Every structure is written in C-alpha cells, then in structure tokens.
Amino acid sequence: MPPEAKRGSVRDITIVGEEVLGRPCREVTEFGTPELSALIDDMFLTMHVADGAGLAANQIGIGLRLFVYDCPDDHGIRHVGHIINPVLDLPGPDSRRLIDDLEGCLSVPGATMTVPRTDHTIARGFDKDGGPLVIEGTGYFARCLQHETDRLAGHTYLDRLSTRDRKDALRQMQDRQEDVFAQRANKAARLNR
C-alpha cells in the first residue's frame, strides 16, 4: 500500500451516469494546502480498497483536474504517484502505435471491454506543491494515463466504444456490480480492524 493510502480515508466511488463524471473538471489553482494533501491521501486509499490502477478526483465526487495512480508498465515496473492539471503529449500519426486491450473502470464496476490506446504517452502537470511533473508512460501505464486524463475531461472509456459494446459493458456492470461493491466493502472493513 502506498504511504499516502495509510493516511487516507475511504470515499464513495461515483458510478457512470452521475453528473460529476460527465463534465470537465476544473483546474486546480491552489497548491500546497492541507486539503489538497488530504484529498490525495483519500484518493490513494479509495483506489487501493477498490483494487484500481488509477483514480480521478471526480470519481469521488470532486470536480478537480487531479488523479492518482499505482500502476505497472509492461516491464513490471510499478509507477505510483499523482498529477494535477495533466496535459497529454500523444505520439503523432506517423509514430503512433495503437494497442487493443481490455480496460475497466472503478466507476463502471465489473465491466471490461477492449479499447484502443497508444502504447506511449507523456503527461505534463504539477505535483501537490505546484512543482512541474513530466511522466512518461508505456504499455499499460500509458493506457492508465490516457484513461484518467479522459476522465478529467468528462469522458469514460465507454465513450470510446460502439453503441453495441457500450450496451454490453453496461450489462456486465449490471450483472457484476453488487459483487464488486461487496468486495470493496470487505476490503475496507479488513483495513479498519
């Protein structure tokens, strides 16, 4: 568990269809505050309890451009951190390589679908104290950076699917979400012992 998670509190995760997930998030303008640090800690613990690789602030109902991640790349290297006000640099059409792979989302509990994403990206933004960050992602970690940045723009991976695949994902969620919620509740309860 990342050290931030040990300081945090578990928050409820918003579910697809909730208004906060469908609108672009606001830029963070105040850095270095205790409130921002506490939000990041809460996001790490919430992500950990839900077995996620990334979590955007709007997934806990806060419409700010911020996400946390604890995600491996395709070489098994674990990347743990946060980024505020991220902007992605994606490869140009000549050097872009799309990878079709399964993708899920904590706000679409229990559903996974194949989504094409580039295998490389660079995210530029800031840390919680306002220091500049440049994060390079490859493979699965690049997918995570793209997925979470989409989320901050008010999009879910469902928006990248055909109508038929979107309906399939929502059916999967309907069938599996109660089990997912039970697993999250059990993990949270074990942490509180």
Side-chain angles (χ1 to χ4, degrees):
M1 187 182 333
E4 295 90 344
K6 294 176 183 168
R7 299 188 297 260
S9 298
V10 176
R11 303 241 198 142
D12 290 336
I13 295 176
T14 55
I15 302 302
V16 68
E18 293 185 44
E19 185 183 344
V20 69
L21 291 176
R23 64 176 184 254
C25 294
R26 300 181 318 276
E27 296 277 314
V28 173
T29 56
E30 293 185 41
F31 296 89
T33 67
E35 294 82 10
L36 185 59
S37 293
L39 174 61
I40 291 168
D41 293 347
D42 290 355
M43 289 172 66
F44 267 109
L45 184 58
T46 302
M47 176 180 64
H48 176 75
V49 164
D51 293 322
L55 183 76
N58 58 355
Q59 289 183 273
I60 59 167
I62 307 295
L64 293 175
R65 290 187 53 77
L66 156 67
F67 68 82
V68 299
Y69 55 87
D70 186 349
C71 182
D73 61 23
D74 287 357
H75 303 289
I77 297 170
R78 182 179 177 202
H79 300 269
V80 180
H82 69 275
I83 188 167
I84 297 170
N85 301 338
V87 175
L88 291 185
D89 294 339
L90 296 171
D94 295 342
S95 59
R96 183 175 299 172
R97 184 170 159 239
L98 289 177
I99 305 293
D100 287 335
D101 205 349
L102 285 177
E103 198 164 308
C105 179
L106 299 180
S107 292
V108 189
T112 57
M113 295 299 293
T114 299
V115 179
R117 299 274 190 186
T118 64
D119 70 337
H120 179 263
T121 192
I122 296 173
R124 299 177 192 280
F126 302 93
D127 67 17
K128 65 183 178 181
D129 297 315
L133 287 176
V134 178
I135 302 166
E136 185 170 2
T138 60
Y140 185 68
F141 184 46
R143 177 174 295 276
C144 175
L145 294 173
Q146 293 167 73
H147 177 104
E148 298 305 335
T149 302
D150 272 1
R151 164 86 56 245
L152 300 178
H155 303 292
T156 68
Y157 81 93
L158 298 178
D159 298 326
R160 294 182 173 271
L161 301 176
S162 68
T163 301
R164 184 174 136 199
D165 286 347
R166 180 183 169 89
K167 286 180 181 176
D168 184 24
L170 292 172
R171 261 192 305 274
Q172 288 179 37
M173 183 180 99
Q174 186 71 31
D175 293 345
R176 300 174 184 158
Q177 70 181 348
E178 292 308 317
D179 289 339
V180 171
F181 294 153
Q183 289 170 3
R184 291 177 186 175
N186 286 339
K187 190 166 184 179
R190 285 194 309 272
L191 288 173
N192 287 330
R193 287 183 190 155

